[in-house]
Amino acid sequence: MLPISAFIICKDEELYVERCIRSVSLCAEIILVDCGSTDGTLEVVRRLQKEGLPLRFIFEPWRGYGGQKQFALEQCSQEWCLSIDCDERLSPKLADALPDLISQGDVAAWKITRYDYLPGFGYVSPRTHERFHVRLFRRGLGAFNPDDRVHEGIRVNGRVEKVEQGGLLHFRPLPLSEQILKENNYSTLKATMKAERGLPPHPLKMIASPPVFFLRWYLRYGLWKYGWPGFIRAANGAIYSYLTEAKRYESAALRRVPPVEPEGPPGY
């Protein structure tokens, strides 16, 4: 077993959580923080615990993405911590690289890429220019911002390097109707978070941000290589970007002009 605590937050993840947990079974500790699953998630966890996996299940009411992951992190006891989502798995190459990564004493954290599964295509190629995010870090040197409602990141005190071998396999093949609902929910969380931090809306971003988002994902990250599934993935991101900025503007506009029907508007 490697001296790593893998920590996961979840709710209603019976379709995905088992493969996630098994992919990190080389870790000395697996922390699963659940905020109230009503499907078969708990049954999956109990079965895996009976198999002898080092899996600890904790119930914790929802705190928001940043707060929930920080709570899960605080339950970890090993020298290294690995943040992984229920719909992610360690790729074989990444699993093979872990012993070497955690043996490098001058590194505080590692950024890891993620390979998305595109419905209608499959996993993107390892040569795709995916983004890298901190996922593996020394306990005590990394933390989440509990106020992050969505897109929670890990702040690290120390040297950060990129993992060049392998990554996380992201498998959640949602139909487009469900993916749009997810983009809608995430955009609400992000718009709310920005408002709470006193960031004013900029209406021109409703025009500029969606095409910039699309082109960055489609061209820079290489989604053009994957035909129409890649186009759809980039377009979903553009929709998310538009909804975020539109909701920020609308919220501020409604505070200025409350939606109260006027009495006898002139000229009608």
Side-chain angles (χ1 to χ4, degrees), residues 201-213:
H202 298 285
L204 288 179
K205 284 189 174 182
M206 288 188 285
I207 300 173
S209 290
V212 169
F213 195 109

Side-chain angles (χ1 to χ4, degrees), residues 122-240:
Y123 282 116
V124 299
S125 166
R127 295 184 297 275
T128 299
H129 299 292
E130 288 280 351
R131 297 160 296 163
F132 283 76
H133 297 287
V134 172
R135 292 299 194 96
L136 179 66
F137 54 97
R138 293 183 185 273
R139 186 165 61 92
L141 297 183
F144 294 90
N145 182 351
D147 295 329
D148 285 346
R149 289 177 175 265
V150 70
H151 302 315
E152 65 290 347
I154 302 169
R155 298 165 297 176
V156 176
N157 181 19
R159 178 183 164 195
V160 180
E161 294 289 345
K162 278 186 180 181
V163 175
E164 301 296 343
Q165 179 178 335
L168 297 171
L169 300 173
H170 179 221
F171 182 79
R172 189 180 290 270
L174 295 176
L176 187 56
S177 58
E178 293 183 29
Q179 184 64 38
I180 292 299
L181 293 176
K182 183 178 178 181
E183 306 293 358
N184 183 48
N185 180 50
Y186 277 17
S187 65
T188 298
L189 293 173
K190 187 171 183 180
T192 301
M193 183 172 69
K194 287 193 171 188
E196 290 173 343
R197 294 174 179 177
L199 300 174
H202 298 285
L204 288 179
K205 284 189 174 182
M206 288 188 285
I207 300 173
S209 290
V212 169
F213 195 109
F214 176 85
L215 292 173
R216 183 171 70 246
W217 281 55
Y218 195 63
L219 298 179
R220 181 180 176 185
Y221 297 150
L223 288 176
W224 61 270
K225 302 174 184 177
Y226 308 110
W228 291 114
F231 177 89
I232 291 172
R233 179 68 184 90
N236 287 346
I239 291 170
Y240 161 77

Side-chain angles (χ1 to χ4, degrees), residues 236-264:
N236 287 346
I239 291 170
Y240 161 77
S241 177
Y242 164 73
L243 288 174
T244 299
E245 299 305 328
K247 288 175 182 180
R248 293 181 65 200
Y249 173 78
E250 182 185 63
S251 178
L254 288 174
R255 287 194 298 270
R256 293 193 304 269
V257 184
V260 177
E261 184 174 4
E263 293 291 340

Side-chain angles (χ1 to χ4, degrees), residues 43-148:
E43 286 70 22
V44 172
V45 170
R46 287 170 175 163
R47 174 164 51 79
L48 296 177
Q49 287 175 325
K50 288 180 180 179
E51 289 184 20
L53 272 69
L55 176 59
R56 185 151 62 99
F57 179 88
I58 302 170
F59 169 77
E60 177 66 18
W62 183 243
R63 298 172 172 225
Y65 284 98
Q68 198 77 354
K69 288 199 174 181
Q70 180 60 28
F71 174 84
L73 171 60
E74 291 168 357
Q75 314 311 308
C76 297
S77 64
Q78 297 296 307
E79 179 184 357
W80 286 83
C81 301
L82 173 67
S83 175
I84 187 168
D85 294 338
C86 286
D87 55 6
E88 297 173 339
R89 300 91 176 81
L90 296 182
S91 75
K93 286 186 176 181
L94 177 58
D96 290 342
L98 283 179
D100 179 61
L101 297 177
I102 64 175
S103 70
Q104 300 191 33
D106 58 342
V107 177
W110 291 95
K111 287 185 175 182
I112 300 174
T113 192
R114 187 171 83 162
Y115 305 117
D116 284 331
Y117 182 94
L118 303 179
F121 179 86
Y123 282 116
V124 299
S125 166
R127 295 184 297 275
T128 299
H129 299 292
E130 288 280 351
R131 297 160 296 163
F132 283 76
H133 297 287
V134 172
R135 292 299 194 96
L136 179 66
F137 54 97
R138 293 183 185 273
R139 186 165 61 92
L141 297 183
F144 294 90
N145 182 351
D147 295 329
D148 285 346

